[in-house]
Amino acid sequence: MQEKPVVFVVVDPNDDRHVALERALTTARERTPQPKLAVFVAVDGEAVDTRAVNDHLFRDEFWFRDQIRTPIEEAGVEFEITVCWSSDWQAAIIQESKRCNAEMIYLPVHARTSSRRFTFAESKWQVLKQARCPVVLIRPGAKDRRKVVLATVNYQAQTTQQRQLNRQITERANYIANMYGAELHLVNAYLDSMRYPDRGALAKLADKTGVATDRIHVKQGYTNEVVAEIAKEIDADLVVMGTLNQYGETGSLLRGNTAERVIGSVDTDVMVCNAFTTTAH
């Protein structure tokens, strides 16, 4: 008997609302077979006030029952719950999601608290960069359906790693679209006529993915602006994108500026694939 796919759901006890768990339950109902949920309860010390004065860090058995266990049981979804005390929040997520062979990680992203440019803790970037499966950033207020999927591709890619990432993005987006019976669109931004994607490559893309040419959007402009515009135009529910594992002189992982701008420019959930991501699910 084939094992159920596993969705790894991160829950922060500091939060009053658990948007990643809510989304996981909603999307699980649309899938056959239903996935198993691996619910991971842990505090991100870089994003949360961990001092004893933070009353939200004190949770009793009734909190676990009412906010975690009961909603999952009522949804009829198979699950397991892990509570983690590690101060190395991101490494614990990577380790545990790998242990349970998760096909994707649902990671909650807090709503913007000011008019400043979107940002979140470095710990979350570490999860995006190091995860061995796609990470879905779950945004409060985003649509919980999965009927229109938009994948961002870069067919001006010059390196083997960039081309491999393109393949991973399109394969993963196809997988998601097929899973939910969703409409799949592709988007490619370019800055000037010299960087217009090769027409032959786009024709091959349409043939290989089965995406109709009218659902392949090629537009001049900055990637984040183009993706946000097309996502709004087609009423996308999920944006699938990639990020490369780039290291600085100190050996630390660098944030992808383009990735950060895209994530901050859209109002949908965003699935991020990286160069480590596997597609065999």
Side-chain angles (χ1 to χ4, degrees), residues 28-35 179:
R29 296 187 190 101
E30 301 178 14
R31 295 180 56 176
T32 304
Q34 278 191 344
M179 183 192 305

Side-chain angles (χ1 to χ4, degrees), residues 62 171 184 261:
F62 302 106
E171 288 175 14
L184 176 59
R261 288 196 295 269

Side-chain angles (χ1 to χ4, degrees), residues 161-169 242-244 273-275:
Q161 189 183 38
Q162 289 173 329
R163 288 191 287 269
Q164 172 62 22
L165 187 57
N166 275 333
R167 286 193 293 271
Q168 290 173 193
I169 293 167
T243 184
L244 296 172
C273 304
N274 65 38

Side-chain angles (χ1 to χ4, degrees), residues 94-153:
I94 300 303
Q95 176 180 300
E96 283 301 292
S97 61
K98 185 177 179 180
R99 178 193 63 80
C100 66
N101 194 29
E103 68 164 10
M104 63 184 79
I105 297 169
Y106 274 27
L107 189 67
V109 177
H110 294 141
R112 211 174 300 184
T113 56
S114 71
S115 59
R116 293 182 303 168
R117 188 166 68 95
F118 172 86
T119 185
F120 53 61
E122 181 64 28
S123 54
K124 288 186 172 61
W125 284 107
Q126 295 291 329
V127 173
L128 294 183
K129 294 287 191 178
Q130 298 181 28
R132 298 287 173 157
C133 62
V135 179
V136 187
L137 301 175
I138 306 298
R139 192 184 299 271
K143 296 188 293 293
D144 58 11
R145 63 178 194 170
R146 293 287 186 264
K147 297 305 179 186
V148 181
V149 176
L150 177 64
T152 66
V153 291

Side-chain angles (χ1 to χ4, degrees), residues 243-257:
T243 184
L244 296 172
N245 297 298
Q246 297 175 321
Y247 289 81
E249 294 178 359
T250 62
S252 60
L253 282 161
L254 297 173
R255 295 184 179 189
N257 289 333

Side-chain angles (χ1 to χ4, degrees), residues 231-251:
K232 185 175 182 180
E233 181 181 307
I234 66 175
D235 196 22
D237 308 308
L238 178 70
V239 171
V240 183
M241 59 172 291
T243 184
L244 296 172
N245 297 298
Q246 297 175 321
Y247 289 81
E249 294 178 359
T250 62

Side-chain angles (χ1 to χ4, degrees), residues 32-53:
T32 304
Q34 278 191 344
K36 176 181 177 180
L37 302 187
V39 181
F40 184 81
V41 183
V43 175
D44 179 3
E46 286 192 19
V48 170
D49 181 358
T50 57
R51 295 176 301 166
V53 294

